[in-house]
């Protein structure tokens, strides 16, 4: 397994705050599937970020989040 790091931006359809962050994950060495990575970021990071921003009275749906991966590469940590 190889450790990777990605720089990304996540935007919500309604909420005007953007998440600009990094994401670290492990996968078998090889090609990075950016569509799969964007979905993984939505599920494991962005959904929680926007839930914190929105508070308890607004439900966040994964379909309302768009993730742009700017850079992804192996991470030597």
């Amino acid at each position: 397994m190889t450790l990777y790091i990605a720089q990304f931006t996540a935007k919500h359809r309604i909420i005007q705050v953007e998440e600009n962050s990094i994401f670290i994950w492990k996968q078998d060495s090889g090609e990075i599937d950016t569509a799969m990575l964007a979905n993984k970021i939505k599920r494991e990071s962005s959904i929680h970020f926007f839930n914190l921003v929105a508070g308890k009275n607004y439900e966040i749906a994964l379909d309302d989040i768009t993730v742009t991966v700017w850079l992804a590469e192996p991470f030597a940590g």
Side-chain angles (χ1 to χ4, degrees):
M1 295 293 263
T2 302
L3 188 63
Y4 289 88
I5 188 168
Q7 175 190 9
F8 72 93
T9 301
K11 297 179 181 180
H12 188 272
R13 183 177 59 84
I14 296 172
I15 298 170
Q16 296 300 306
V17 176
E18 292 182 4
E19 177 187 19
N20 293 292
S21 192
I22 61 167
F23 186 78
I24 298 173
W25 78 103
K26 287 184 180 181
Q27 74 173 43
D28 292 332
S29 297
E31 196 72 26
I32 298 170
D33 181 348
T34 55
M36 185 262 335
L37 176 58
N39 285 326
K40 185 173 182 66
I41 291 170
K42 280 184 193 183
R43 290 189 317 272
E44 297 180 18
S45 178
S46 298
I47 191 84
H48 305 291
F49 174 83
F50 288 113
N51 274 322
L52 283 171
V53 171
K56 296 178 182 178
N57 294 327
Y58 186 80
E59 188 171 335
I60 302 297
L62 286 175
D63 292 342
D64 290 338
I65 301 170
T66 303
V67 172
T68 303
V69 177
W70 298 107
L71 179 66
E73 61 187 32
F75 182 58

